[in-house]
Amino acid sequence: MANGAATLEAAHAATDSRRAAIRAAGTGFSLVRMFAVMRKELRSYFAFPLVYVLSGIFLVLAGYYAYTDLVYFVTIAFARDIMQNYWQLLFADIRLCLLLTLPFITMRLFAEERKLGTVELLYTYPLRDGEVLGGKFLASVAIFFMMLALTVLYPVFLYSIHRFPLFPLFAGYLGLFLLGCAFIACGLFISSLCESQVMAGVGTITMLLFFWIINWNEAVFQNSWMSVMRAFSLFDQFGGFAKGVIDLDHVTYFVFFIVFFLFLTLRSMEARKWTGRR
C-alpha cells in the first residue's frame, strides 16, 4: 500500500512538473513537439529489425497476391472485366496482409515503453498527452504509408503493359490507407492498455477480427440488426473503395473510427493520473 501511494504521488508530482514546464513555455498544443515525438518514434522503429521484417513480410504477401490474382483472371476468369475485378480482388487480399502486419507495428508504442520503464521518463518531458499521442500515431502511419507506397510498383508495371482507368486504382488505395489508419488507431488504444507487447498485438488482431466478422450472423439476427452490424463492419465499409467507388459515408465512417479510438487512447493515457498506472 505504501509503495502504491508513493508511486501515485510520484506520478502526480511528475505530472505537475510537466504541466508547470508547459505553462512556463507559454504554449498550447505544439506541432513542433508532436513532430519531435514522431521523429523519436521513427528512430526507434528503424533502430530494430522488426519494422524491416514486417515490411518484408507484407511486401512478399502483397506481391504473391498481385501475381496469383493476375494469373487467376488471365487463365480462369478471362471473360470478366479483368482490370476492374482484378483490383477488387487484390485490394481485398491486401487488407488481409494489413490485418496480419499492422498490429505488430503498433503493439510496441506504449507496451514496450512500459516494459523498458521509459514511459515514466516520457511523461516527465514538457509534452502534452495529445502531442505524445499524435507523434506516435503519425510515426506508425508513416511506416504504414511507406509499406503501402511500395506496392504501387505492381500497378505501375501493369500500366506500362496495358493502359487502364486510374480512378478505381486511386479509390482502392484511398480505402487501404483509411483502413490501415483505422487499424493503427485501434492498435494504439490496445497498446495503451497492455503491459506486454504480445498481448497488445494479439489483442489488436482480436479486436479487428471482431469488426470483420460482426456481420457474419445472418442466420441468428434479424435483418434490422444485421443492417446495424454491417454499418459497424470495417471490411464492409472498405468494400466500396475496392470496387472503385469513393462514398462520403464510408470516408466519414473511417474518420470517425480513427478519431474515436484516438480519443479512447487519450483517455487511457490520462487514467494514469488517478489510477497510479504507468
Side-chain angles (χ1 to χ4, degrees):
M1 291 294 291
N3 290 337
T7 302
L8 187 58
E9 290 178 2
H12 288 165
T15 301
D16 293 340
S17 174
R18 183 165 60 92
R19 288 174 175 170
I22 293 173
R23 284 196 297 270
T27 59
F29 185 92
S30 170
L31 291 176
V32 174
R33 291 195 293 265
M34 184 183 72
F35 285 120
V37 175
M38 177 185 171
R39 287 194 296 272
K40 174 254 183 189
E41 290 296 328
L42 286 175
R43 283 196 297 271
S44 299
Y45 271 124
F46 288 108
F48 297 97
L50 179 64
V51 69
Y52 302 103
V53 172
L54 289 175
S55 298
I57 292 173
F58 172 76
L59 291 174
V60 168
L61 289 175
Y64 168 79
Y65 282 123
Y67 175 73
T68 55
D69 290 348
L70 184 61
V71 171
Y72 166 76
F73 274 103
V74 170
T75 59
I76 299 178
F78 193 75
R80 304 178 67 183
D81 184 339
I82 293 178
M83 296 314 300
Q84 180 178 355
N85 291 282
Y86 171 69
W87 296 130
Q88 185 176 347
L89 181 61
L90 178 60
F91 289 135
D93 289 332
I94 290 180
R95 71 180 179 178
L96 178 62
C97 303
L98 295 178
L99 177 65
L100 295 176
T101 53
L102 285 184
F104 297 100
I105 294 289
T106 59
M107 67 180 184
R108 56 169 295 280
L109 288 170
F110 285 101
E112 183 185 47
E113 299 234 31
R114 287 200 181 93
K115 179 182 177 182
L116 298 176
T118 56
V119 69
E120 293 94 340
L121 180 63
L122 179 67
Y123 285 142
T124 59
Y125 289 157
L127 295 168
R128 294 181 183 276
D129 289 346
E131 294 163 352
V132 175
L133 174 61
K136 288 180 176 290
F137 176 71
L138 290 179
S140 299
V141 170
I143 297 293
F144 161 56
F145 183 79
M146 177 197 70
M147 294 164 53
L148 191 62
L150 291 174
T151 65
V152 176
L153 293 174
Y154 313 142
V156 168
F157 174 72
L158 288 177
Y159 194 79
S160 67
I161 301 174
H162 176 74
R163 298 292 190 271
F164 52 82
L166 293 177
F167 184 80
L169 185 68
F170 170 76
Y173 270 102
L174 176 62
L176 285 177
F177 180 75
L178 291 172
L179 184 68
C181 289
F183 286 2
I184 290 171
C186 180
L188 197 59
F189 170 62
I190 299 296
S191 182
S192 73
L193 301 175
C194 296
E195 299 282 345
S196 163
Q197 293 187 58
V198 175
M199 289 299 296
V202 173
T204 303
I205 291 177
T206 304
M207 177 73 81
L208 294 176
L209 280 176
F210 169 75
F211 280 103
W212 190 341
I213 65 175
I214 190 173
N215 59 345
W216 292 8
N217 298 296
E218 291 88 347
V220 178
F221 295 100
Q222 298 177 351
N223 290 335
S224 57
W225 280 101
M226 287 306 304
S227 61
V228 174
M229 291 179 181
R230 290 192 185 95
F232 283 95
S233 171
L234 267 177
F235 300 89
D236 268 23
Q237 300 290 334
F238 172 74
F241 292 100
K243 296 175 183 176
V245 177
I246 299 177
D247 189 316
L248 185 59
D249 289 342
H250 295 163
V251 174
T252 303
Y253 169 83
F254 279 111
V255 172
F256 174 79
F257 188 96
I258 294 167
V259 172
F260 177 69
F261 274 96
L262 291 180
F263 172 79
L264 291 182
T265 307
L266 195 60
R267 298 286 83 80
S268 174
M269 294 170 67
E270 292 175 352
R272 74 186 184 281
K273 300 171 185 174
W274 51 271
T275 62
R277 180 168 60 89
R278 291 180 299 170

